[in-house]
Amino acid sequence: MAFSTSTPSTASFRCFSSGASKDISFPPIKSLKLPLFWPWQKVKMGPLSVSPMGFGTWAWGNQFLWGYQESMDAELQQTFNLAVENGINLFDTADSYGTGRLNGKSEKLLGKFIQEFQGKKQVQDEIVIATKFAAYPWRLTPGQFVKACRGSLDRLQIDQIGIGQLHWSTANYAPPQELALWDGLVAMYEKGLVRAVGVSNYGPSQLVKIHDYLKARGVPLCSAQVQFSLLSMGKSQLEIKNICDSLGIRLISYSPLGLGMLTGKYTPSRLPRGPRGLLFRQILPGLEPLLTSLEEIAQRRGKAVPQVAINWCICKGTIPIPGIKTVKQAEENLGALGWRLRSDELLQLEYAASQSPQKMIQNIFQTR
C-alpha cells in the first residue's frame, strides 16, 4: 500500500556524517505518496533497460493448470497496475498462453491493461513485453513466423514487441524446421516488428548454434529463457548460464519458485489442486533441507520465503519472472527487490539444494 500524510507536518530526519549526527528539518509536507517499493536501478538486456525482475503471465488464460476464470480479470488488472507503479516494466507472455478458446488470452489481457493504465505516459511507454512464438508444426517458413509476430502485435495492441522469442527448439524432432524459425526471428527483427530477439528452452549446444547463426546475420541474441531456480540448477542449467555470461546473453529464469514449491506454502499433506498436486507429491518430501534453509534465512532477514528464493536468482545474475495472479502475490514478490543475499547465504542455499534428493523435472522441450 502507498502511504500518505494528509495534514501538514514538519519532517525531521537524522543525518549521519563522519561519526557525528544532527537533525535536519524540512518544510511542511501537504501530501506524500510513495510506491510500495522505492524504484530501483534497471539492468541492461540487449538494447533494453528492464527491471531486475519481471513478471510472468502463463496463468492468465490457463484454466487447466492455473484455474483461470474471466472473473479474475479485474484483480489481474490491479496486479498489473501495482507492478508497473512499483518499477516493474518487464512482462513475459506467449502466443500459446491460454487454453482452448482462450488461446492468446494472456497477450490480449496484457494489451488491454497497457492501454488502460492510468499512470504516467512515460511509465507506460517504458513497458517491455517479451512474448514467445510457438514452434507449431504448421509454422514451416519464415513468413509464417512473421505472421505469428503480427498476430501477437494485434493482440497486445502495440506497434513493436520488446523481445520476440522462439518458444522452443525443434532440433530434437524436426531439424529442418529449426532453420526456418531462426530465419523468422531475423525477418521480424529486420522488419522492425521486435526490438530484440531471444530464445526459450534452448540447451547449451543449440544456444551456441543459434547465437552464431544470428550473429552472422547481424542480429544479436538478447536473451535466453530457461527454467532456473534452487530446484533447477543442474549441470545443464549452469552450463547455459556460463554460456550466456560469456556471449553477453541475458538469462531469464522462469519458474524461479518451482511452480510454487519454493514458496513454503505447501507440504506433503497440503498440496495444490490439479496437476501441480501430483508433481508436488513426488518432489516436496525430498525438499526438507532446502526449505528449512530458506525459512531460516527468511526469518533472519525479515523476509518471506519466496522473496529469498527469487533474490537468489537475482544474485546469480539472472532476471527471474515469477508468475503472478493476485495483488497479494505481486506485493510479496516485489519484496524480493532492494536487497541482496550475502555470499554465505548463497552458499548455504546452494549446499541445501544439493542435499535435497529431489529436483525439478526439466521441460521436455529443452534441447541439449
Side-chain angles (χ1 to χ4, degrees):
M1 290 181 294
F3 62 88
S4 64
T5 56
S6 56
T7 58
S9 62
T10 299
S12 179
F13 298 87
R14 183 158 295 243
C15 177
F16 294 86
S17 176
S18 303
S21 67
K22 59 182 179 178
D23 288 331
I24 302 176
S25 295
F26 291 89
I29 300 174
K30 290 185 177 180
S31 179
L32 175 64
K33 291 186 177 181
L34 297 176
L36 254 175
F37 302 92
W38 197 249
W40 46 88
Q41 186 177 4
K42 298 291 190 288
V43 297
K44 294 298 290 182
M45 184 157 58
L48 308 166
S49 293
V50 300
S51 45
M53 174 181 71
F55 280 144
T57 63
W58 180 20
W60 299 13
N62 188 302
Q63 295 176 320
F64 176 70
L65 194 62
W66 299 106
Y68 167 80
Q69 299 294 331
E70 291 185 355
S71 59
M72 298 176 178
D73 289 358
E75 184 169 15
L76 288 177
Q77 187 161 16
Q78 292 173 12
T79 303
F80 171 85
N81 291 340
L82 175 71
V84 175
E85 288 163 359
N86 284 279
I88 299 296
N89 74 329
L90 175 64
F91 293 87
D92 181 78
T93 183
D95 65 357
S96 61
Y97 284 178
T99 50
R101 64 179 180 83
L102 297 175
N103 197 52
K105 184 69 171 181
S106 174
E107 289 183 332
K108 289 179 181 178
L109 287 173
L110 266 177
K112 178 178 183 291
F113 298 163
I114 292 171
Q115 292 301 316
E116 296 179 0
F117 180 68
Q118 298 296 310
K120 293 181 180 179
K121 183 68 163 59
Q122 179 183 351
V123 174
Q124 185 184 43
D125 292 342
E126 290 176 352
I127 293 172
V128 175
I129 300 298
T131 196
K132 300 180 289 294
F133 309 112
Y136 291 135
W138 55 86
R139 290 177 176 170
L140 297 172
T141 68
Q144 289 170 320
F145 222 45
V146 169
K147 183 179 179 181
C149 181
R150 294 190 189 278
S152 290
L153 285 168
D154 289 343
R155 286 186 291 274
L156 290 163
Q157 302 180 59
I158 56 178
D159 297 323
Q160 189 180 46
I161 289 166
I163 310 173
Q165 306 164 99
L166 176 51
H167 204 157
W168 65 84
S169 168
T170 65
N172 287 347
Y173 60 91
Q177 186 184 5
E178 184 88 337
L179 187 59
L181 299 177
W182 292 2
D183 287 339
L185 287 177
V186 172
M188 63 180 70
Y189 179 82
E190 290 179 342
K191 292 176 183 294
L193 302 179
V194 300
R195 290 189 63 190
V197 301
V199 293
S200 178
N201 297 309
Y202 266 62
S205 177
Q206 283 299 110
L207 180 58
V208 172
K209 288 179 182 178
I210 189 171
H211 168 271
D212 292 347
Y213 183 85
L214 293 176
K215 183 178 180 180
R217 298 288 302 273
V219 179
L221 182 60
C222 169
S223 62
Q225 184 176 149
V226 294
Q227 187 171 232
F228 191 86
S229 71
L230 283 162
L231 265 184
S232 183
M233 47 177 285
K235 181 180 177 181
S236 179
Q237 306 307 90
L238 294 177
E239 187 177 355
I240 292 169
K241 176 65 173 59
N242 290 335
I243 290 170
C244 285
D245 290 345
S246 66
L247 296 178
I249 303 167
R250 181 67 74 169
L251 192 145
I252 299 174
S253 47
Y254 72 75
S255 294
L257 297 175
L259 297 180
M261 277 183 276
L262 296 182
T263 63
K265 299 173 183 176
Y266 299 102
T267 67
S269 60
R270 188 173 69 249
L271 301 170
R273 297 177 180 176
R276 280 196 306 152
L278 300 175
L279 179 65
F280 282 34
R281 190 183 304 277
Q282 299 175 42
I283 298 177
L284 269 177
L287 296 185
E288 186 175 348
L290 177 55
L291 291 174
T292 298
S293 286
L294 282 167
E295 289 168 2
E296 288 176 356
I297 292 172
Q299 290 181 5
R300 189 164 64 236
R301 298 295 294 268
K303 302 296 180 181
V305 168
Q307 294 167 356
V308 175
I310 294 171
N311 193 271
W312 178 85
C313 293
I314 295 172
C315 289
K316 302 306 285 187
T318 78
I319 298 179
I321 49 169
I324 51 169
K325 292 192 299 179
T326 67
V327 169
K328 182 179 180 181
Q329 287 176 342
E331 289 176 343
E332 186 170 71
N333 290 344
L334 283 166
L337 297 166
W339 62 285
R340 293 182 73 85
L341 289 162
R342 300 190 305 267
S343 57
D344 62 307
E345 292 170 329
L346 294 172
L347 290 173
Q348 178 185 344
L349 289 171
E350 289 161 21
Y351 177 76
S354 71
Q355 296 303 301
S356 298
Q358 294 291 348
K359 300 292 184 288
M360 188 67 178
I361 297 173
Q362 291 303 312
N363 194 313
I364 60 171
F365 286 108
Q366 181 171 309
T367 58
R368 293 188 297 274

